[in-house]
Amino acid sequence: METVRPDLLRIELGYVNAFLWVGDGGPTLIDTGSPWSFTKLLDELKAAGVQPADLQRIIITHADIDHIGGLKGLTEVTDTPIACHTVEAAFITGQRHKPLPGLTSHVLAGGLRILQAIYHPYVTNVDELLLEKEKTPEGFMVLHMPGHAPGQIALYHKGAGLLLAADALDHRHGRLALPPKWFTPDREQAVESLGKLKKLSFQTACFGHGPCIREQADVQIHAFIETLS
Ligand SMILES: [Zn+2]
């Protein structure tokens, strides 16, 4: 677990991150890792001094199995409300499945379908449906960032100078990139969504995958977005 800022902890769950916001309105868990890292998620929460029942809210950035994997387990130990973008709710409850980018015969895409069938990570209900520009009790502004997932959100905290980019940007190995093409049904839309970040200032940025950027993250991200046009 990494203290990114006094109010934000990064919980590394294999190759994917979850975040624990312990500032205003928290503790709030943002994403839940994979089903197979659920025990580690619980251990890390405990190490942070947070019991599942203490969580004020669980915000899901998008319904990929490596982000919602701990959700069903959490619903068995706490009634904490689950929040996500209104478009993503049907994917979190398993009523809809994420479209894959015309490459469904690809081994990775096929593997994803199999994992979803085995783990069936869906929950029966989402409690709070978030909309573009909505402000959460934690002080985050919701940014709808479709492309990688139809209802993906990023979270921007102006006061903290913080962006939680989810998988709108990939930062594996400390290198900025678009999310992986095998799992991104609409890359054009993914690029378009990034345009929303151009006018925002933030010192720190964190991602679904890879380390956070702690200094002048906006400068680096704006420069990366420029390379896409
Ligand atoms: Zn991801």
Side-chain angles (χ1 to χ4, degrees):
M1 190 160 32
E2 176 196 12
T3 304
V4 181
R5 305 168 28 97
D7 48 20
L8 185 74
L9 305 172
R10 176 167 79 111
I11 302 173
E12 276 183 88
L13 299 165
Y15 64 95
V16 65
N17 298 316
F19 295 94
L20 183 63
W21 170 260
V22 291
D24 289 350
T28 294
L29 182 66
I30 297 145
D31 286 346
T32 63
S34 308
W36 47 92
S37 55
F38 180 58
T39 308
K40 181 166 187 205
L41 174 65
L42 289 182
D43 289 346
E44 293 281 66
L45 287 175
K46 202 171 165 188
V50 172
Q51 298 299 324
D54 299 335
L55 292 169
Q56 296 300 302
R57 184 173 292 92
I58 301 166
I59 302 178
I60 295 294
T61 63
H62 64 297
D64 283 354
I65 192 168
D66 53 342
H67 297 257
I68 64 167
L71 198 51
K72 197 163 67 174
L74 282 167
T75 63
E76 286 161 12
V77 290
T78 173
D79 294 330
T80 300
I82 299 166
C84 73
H85 190 272
T86 182
V87 170
E88 201 68 1
F91 298 91
I92 291 175
T93 54
Q95 288 160 296
R96 290 181 69 194
H97 292 284
K98 175 177 171 171
L100 287 168
L103 296 161
T104 43
S105 61
H106 188 273
V107 63
L108 291 175
L112 177 64
R113 289 275 187 258
I114 292 167
L115 285 175
Q116 285 170 335
I118 293 172
Y119 285 103
H120 202 80
Y122 313 106
V123 292
T124 48
N125 191 37
V126 172
D127 306 283
E128 297 177 15
L129 299 176
L130 304 172
L131 290 168
E132 173 74 1
K133 299 252 169 82
E134 184 169 338
K135 199 158 179 198
T136 73
E138 296 83 2
F140 286 105
M141 185 173 76
V142 173
L143 299 172
H144 183 208
M145 304 288 278
H148 176 65
Q152 177 174 246
I153 53 168
L155 296 167
Y156 174 59
H157 199 298
K158 193 177 178 184
L162 171 67
L163 175 74
L164 302 180
D167 286 5
L169 282 165
D170 192 290
H171 197 231
R172 261 168 260 238
H173 315 297
R175 202 173 55 233
L176 286 169
L178 287 173
K181 65 178 173 184
W182 303 117
F183 301 120
T184 301
D186 195 332
R187 279 176 68 91
E188 212 171 296
Q189 202 177 37
V191 172
E192 204 176 297
S193 290
L194 290 174
K196 293 186 182 181
L197 306 182
K198 281 196 209 167
K199 287 189 183 139
L200 303 181
S201 308
F202 45 90
Q203 185 76 357
T204 308
C206 294
F207 311 88
H209 304 272
C212 300
I213 301 176
R214 290 165 176 245
E215 299 282 333
Q216 295 194 310
D218 50 359
V219 176
Q220 290 185 51
I221 287 175
H222 295 163
F224 173 73
I225 294 170
E226 282 307 310
T227 68
L228 301 172
S229 54

